[in-house]
Each structure stands twice: as C-alpha cells, then as structure tokens.
Amino acid sequence: MSHVSLAALVRHCDRLLRTDEFSDWEGAVNGLQMENRGAVARLAASVDASLATVRRAIAARADLLLVHHGLFWSPSHPWIGKRYELLRLLLENGLAVYSSHLPLDAHPRLGNNAQLCAALGLNKPEPFFFEKGQFIGYQAETRLKRAELAKRLRRELGVAPKLLPGGPDICRRVGVVTGGAGSELRRAAREGVDTFITGEGPHWTFALAEELGVNVFYGGHYATETFGVKALAAHLSKRFKVPWTFIDHPSGL
C-alpha cells in the first residue's frame, strides 16, 4: 500500500482551500487539528469529528480524517470522560484530523455550495452571501418550478427538504448556503434571490419568508454539508494515490 506524508497532504489542502486567508468562528480551527506519526495510507471523510466518527475511521484503518466540523466547537478542556476517550483513540491509533469549515464552504469547485449547485443543475453560479470577509455561498439564475427543485433536492440530499413557500412557483434566482444560515434569510433576500437553500433555520423564518416573498428550502444541516468533504477526499485520493471512504453518521438535523 502506498503512503504519502501527512505534511505534504496538509500543505496541499491549505493551498487549495486558501486556509490562511479565511476568518471563521473561534471553534472552527481550520487546518490540521491533530497530527499523527507523519504518514497517510488511507483517508476517511466525515461531516463531523466526534467519538462515533473517530471510532469508525479507526475501524476503516484510516490515518487521516477529513471533516467539516472539527474537534473544538465546544470547550475542549478538561480532557476527561468521553473527551479523554476521544483523545486516547486518536493518539493510540495514529489518526490525524484535518478540518475545513468556511474555506470548504466557499471553494469554487470542491466546496459544499458549489457542489450542491452542480448537483441541482444550477449553472454558472456567482458568489453570494458575504461572511467573515469572504463570499461563502453561490447564487444562480434559472427558470425552475419550485416543485421540481424540491424533487432534485430530495434526490441529491437523500431526505425531503422542508419548504417554506413564501415565494413564487417559478424560481428564477436561487441562493445556496449550506449549513445553518436560515437566520440570515433577510440578508439573502437583500441580495436578490427569490429562493434560498440552506440546511436549517429558526421557527420565525416561516413568517419572514412570507413577508419577504422568498421560498426557503431547509435540507438539513448535515445533509447539505456532506458534499465538500466527499469532494475533497476524492480529489486527494486521485492526486496522492491513496484510497478513501466516507463515514456517514447523519444527525437528522
């Protein structure tokens, strides 16, 4: 089995994703979060770094786990109880963790938003939704029945999206920001979309969608963010000639 150096993989990911150019939420910690002994023979990819996904990555004999949500979203110390077990498993099994949050959302080819646009057949997407100093989403002009867009989302996400039908039956400008951007519906509407696709949002956005005249599709935070880690792992596998596997551990949220 071929091996590649962890350092080479990390350098490539950091350049590809422009990791150093992004601001993010404090817990994101983009880049290498946990190193190993220095070599990688097998990759695993998952939306979240958790005790469950780490166990499954180890069972898959992975040396590097690529994730969108890393190890440090909540307070990361003290390392006791389940947090200690997580650290022990990473160290004892030589599993490195690389996390990419907003850089992976925003990437024009491998990112969650670009990948979902492509899967839905939204052509020639343009940058959309400025956050933390960067555009992280995409919007595209189309002429697509709302019901057809719902059908495509269900096919690509594997779950039926929740529709807030505040806008037109024919969608002409669709904005995509995967994850938890529902609370920013007003900002999305200001940018001119009549249909907004994201993962989740609060209850009050139902009335706001009606007020703004915008359709909202909530496809699930998890389901909308499987695309980026899969695309990144596939890219690395092809470039560095190492196999990869996706660890599907859906939250249902």
Side-chain angles (χ1 to χ4, degrees), residues 34-37 54 58 79 83-97:
M34 182 74 178
E35 63 182 342
N36 64 6
R37 298 176 184 90
V54 164
I58 291 167
W79 288 88
R83 295 295 291 176
Y84 164 75
E85 185 178 351
L86 175 60
L87 179 62
R88 179 179 60 81
L89 284 171
L90 292 170
L91 291 170
E92 289 181 353
N93 293 278
L95 180 61
V97 177

Side-chain angles (χ1 to χ4, degrees), residues 133-213:
Q134 301 275 351
F135 286 103
I136 63 170
Y138 284 92
Q139 60 177 322
E141 292 185 359
T142 187
R143 185 175 175 82
L144 194 61
K145 289 184 178 180
R146 188 171 60 194
E148 173 60 23
L149 183 54
K151 186 186 301 183
R152 293 185 189 184
L153 276 165
R154 181 168 188 164
R155 181 188 68 218
E156 299 302 329
L157 299 176
V159 294
K162 177 64 180 177
L163 168 63
L164 311 185
D169 289 334
I170 303 296
C171 307
R172 289 180 169 82
R173 181 168 287 275
V174 179
V176 178
V177 180
T178 61
S183 60
E184 299 296 334
L185 174 56
R186 191 178 296 277
R187 189 202 316 186
R190 282 200 302 266
E191 295 192 40
V193 301
D194 59 40
T195 302
F196 185 44
I197 298 171
T198 187
E200 62 176 325
H203 171 79
W204 51 262
T205 56
F206 180 83
L208 183 60
E210 293 179 325
E211 175 186 328
L212 296 173

Side-chain angles (χ1 to χ4, degrees), residues 2-252:
S2 62
H3 292 73
V4 63
S5 78
L6 176 64
L9 276 167
V10 169
R11 283 195 302 270
H12 179 74
C13 286
D14 285 345
R15 286 196 302 267
L16 176 69
L17 300 169
R18 300 186 297 120
T19 300
D20 291 341
E21 299 177 30
F22 276 81
S23 297
D24 210 319
W25 282 271
E26 184 178 357
V29 192
N30 293 306
L32 185 65
Q33 294 191 339
M34 182 74 178
E35 63 182 342
N36 64 6
R37 298 176 184 90
V40 175
R42 184 179 296 273
L43 304 169
S46 185
V47 174
D48 304 296
S50 67
L51 187 57
T53 58
V54 164
R55 284 172 173 160
R56 291 178 60 182
I58 291 167
R61 302 178 66 182
D63 308 291
L64 173 61
L65 177 61
L66 304 166
V67 298
H68 185 51
H69 302 133
L71 295 165
F72 305 114
W73 288 102
S74 57
S76 58
H77 57 79
W79 288 88
I80 60 177
K82 293 297 183 182
R83 295 295 291 176
Y84 164 75
E85 185 178 351
L86 175 60
L87 179 62
R88 179 179 60 81
L89 284 171
L90 292 170
L91 291 170
E92 289 181 353
N93 293 278
L95 180 61
V97 177
Y98 186 97
S99 179
S100 187
H101 187 236
L102 291 188
L104 191 55
D105 283 325
H107 194 272
R109 182 168 54 89
L110 303 178
N112 285 312
N113 296 302
Q115 287 279 314
L116 183 52
C117 283
L120 295 173
L122 299 175
N123 299 318
K124 298 180 180 178
E126 301 172 354
F128 168 68
F129 203 86
F130 199 74
E131 181 67 59
K132 301 289 184 182
Q134 301 275 351
F135 286 103
I136 63 170
Y138 284 92
Q139 60 177 322
E141 292 185 359
T142 187
R143 185 175 175 82
L144 194 61
K145 289 184 178 180
R146 188 171 60 194
E148 173 60 23
L149 183 54
K151 186 186 301 183
R152 293 185 189 184
L153 276 165
R154 181 168 188 164
R155 181 188 68 218
E156 299 302 329
L157 299 176
V159 294
K162 177 64 180 177
L163 168 63
L164 311 185
D169 289 334
I170 303 296
C171 307
R172 289 180 169 82
R173 181 168 287 275
V174 179
V176 178
V177 180
T178 61
S183 60
E184 299 296 334
L185 174 56
R186 191 178 296 277
R187 189 202 316 186
R190 282 200 302 266
E191 295 192 40
V193 301
D194 59 40
T195 302
F196 185 44
I197 298 171
T198 187
E200 62 176 325
H203 171 79
W204 51 262
T205 56
F206 180 83
L208 183 60
E210 293 179 325
E211 175 186 328
L212 296 173
V214 175
N215 298 310
V216 181
F217 285 98
Y218 289 140
H221 196 131
Y222 176 89
T224 60
E225 295 197 321
T226 60
F227 296 88
V229 289
K230 288 179 180 178
L232 178 60
H235 166 82
L236 294 174
S237 176
K238 182 177 181 180
R239 181 179 180 90
F240 291 98
K241 305 298 188 292
V242 290
W244 73 281
T245 187
F246 178 62
I247 297 171
D248 191 19
H249 191 58
S251 65

